[in-house]
Amino acid sequence: MHLLNADLHCHSIFSDGSLTPTELAQRAHQGGVALWSLTDHDELAGQAEARATAEALGMAYVTGVEISVTFAGETVHVLGFDFDEHHPGIVQGLAELRAGRHQRARDMGESLARAGIPGAYEGAIKYAANPELVSRTHFARFLVDNGHCSSIQEVFSRYLKEGKPGFVEHRWAGLGEALRWVREAGGVTAIAHPARYRFTPTEEFALFGEFQAHGGRGVEVTCGSHFPDEVVKYADMALEFDLLASRGSDFHAPGESRVPLGTLPDLPGKVTPIWSLWAPRLAAQQADPMVAA
Ligand code: AMP
Ligand code: MN
Ligand code: MN
Ligand code: MN
């Protein structure tokens, strides 16, 4: 079960990735992925294409999303899996999150203009293939291509991280609210890339505790932005909070993302993979029986 090559985190042009769901499915397949999920930020428009292409290539697929949440004043990302993408609660909730991005992007543009970079809002929206989803990543690509910075990383550290001139405070979904959308649509949730939040140990404990109290089931343990010691730490946290473990590259774009789809190390042996929830279906779906850990 551990040795199933599952990649349950990536982004398409429907959010801040640079490839279509079809191109991502092909890359996942080439990377040996057997179970895949497209998890665009706050958006489900790529799901039908992702599922259809995955199935045509013989990969098992679960519906996915990465929901922007505000918890203790910090942005936290919550992954949702295996839910009904047409359920009105999540459809409406995500539509409202996307709508809030428009004003935020205009405010970011003004903020960057004050920092000496004019035209960033107009520039960024040209990079957003989905007009409903303009993100900081689109601003970052615009700033790199226009010579303001030499890399996406540099844009974030100089302009787009909290406390930097282009950063705009924003209120996303509540934790309980996001978990309710996914649960009522029949799915499960996992805390995305927990090592990336700037929480004190007390705040982190509160996040895991509240997440679990609201019915959250999983945590991303092995992911594109975790160092090996962080994988160990969050495997322990998964056991401590009785959470299932997820694995995902968080692939966005060739040349930008360090980890290609399907190439991460396996989950540590002591955790239970989140895909154990889907084992009967996966076994039925796959010609090749899963390798038992
Ligand atoms: P947004 O949802 O508009 O706030 O954009 C968040 C996205 O920005 C994340 O999903 C990442 O793709 C990207 N991002 C955030 N921080 C960084 C960073 N330090 N370096 C590169 N990309 C980042
Ligand atoms: Mn992103
Ligand atoms: Mn994220
Ligand atoms: Mn992501």
Side-chain angles (χ1 to χ4, degrees):
M1 198 63 164
H2 280 86
L3 299 185
L4 179 76
N5 189 343
D7 195 322
L8 303 178
H9 191 160
C10 70
H11 299 275
S12 77
I13 52 165
F14 288 101
S15 63
D16 60 348
S18 71
L19 302 179
T20 63
T22 297
E23 290 165 332
L24 287 166
Q26 287 162 347
R27 278 179 182 250
H29 183 63
Q30 282 157 14
V33 173
L35 171 64
W36 182 52
S37 185
L38 170 66
T39 54
D40 277 316
H41 298 284
D42 309 325
E43 176 60 281
L44 300 170
Q47 293 301 309
E49 180 185 335
R51 182 180 301 100
T53 317
E55 287 172 0
L57 292 166
M59 283 188 295
Y61 187 78
V62 285
T63 307
V65 70
E66 182 174 18
I67 307 177
S68 309
V69 162
T70 301
F71 181 85
E74 177 91 7
T75 300
V76 166
H77 286 169
V78 169
L79 295 163
F81 297 120
D82 196 36
F83 54 90
D84 171 10
E85 73 207 59
H86 303 294
H87 193 272
I90 192 163
V91 167
Q92 177 66 22
L94 296 180
E96 284 168 18
L97 278 187
R98 292 196 300 276
R101 284 178 173 273
H102 293 293
Q103 187 58 45
R104 173 192 188 234
R106 278 191 286 271
D107 292 347
M108 284 176 65
E110 285 174 20
S111 171
L112 286 166
R114 287 193 292 274
I117 299 176
Y121 170 72
E122 293 75 12
I125 55 174
K126 289 198 189 114
Y127 282 73
N130 176 2
E132 286 199 27
L133 205 128
V134 57
S135 89
R136 284 186 290 164
T137 311
H138 300 116
F139 279 85
R141 292 187 183 132
F142 168 76
L143 263 63
V144 170
D145 290 351
N146 285 272
H148 296 287
C149 291
S150 59
S151 72
I152 299 279
Q153 285 299 335
E154 188 193 335
V155 182
F156 274 90
S157 27
R158 282 179 59 192
Y159 295 108
L160 299 182
K161 273 183 156 162
E162 186 157 6
K164 298 298 171 183
F167 181 84
V168 168
E169 285 289 342
H170 191 72
R171 184 138 200 96
W172 301 106
L175 181 66
E177 192 180 23
L179 267 61
R180 178 166 44 80
W181 297 339
V182 177
R183 189 178 58 248
E184 289 180 356
V188 292
T189 42
I191 301 171
H193 43 61
R196 297 281 68 83
Y197 311 126
R198 301 172 317 151
F199 285 140
T200 63
T202 309
E203 287 168 336
E204 182 175 71
F205 194 81
L207 170 67
F208 275 68
E210 283 196 35
F211 178 79
Q212 199 208 34
H214 284 297
R217 296 294 306 276
V219 58
E220 214 171 34
V221 167
T222 299
C223 72
S225 59
H226 279 182
F227 295 109
D229 59 324
E230 294 170 334
V231 173
V232 172
K233 173 182 171 182
Y234 290 100
D236 290 340
M237 292 277 279
L239 295 180
E240 185 183 346
F241 286 87
D242 197 21
L243 296 172
L244 301 165
S246 192
R247 173 184 188 260
S249 57
D250 204 1
F251 182 85
H252 281 72
E256 279 179 24
S257 298
R258 285 179 296 116
V259 179
L261 285 146
T263 64
L264 284 169
D266 291 321
L267 285 173
K270 59 185 173 185
V271 298
T272 305
I274 199 162
W275 51 90
S276 64
L277 295 172
W278 315 312
R281 196 188 339 157
L282 292 171
Q285 219 164 338
Q286 282 177 303
D288 254 8
M290 288 176 295
V291 187

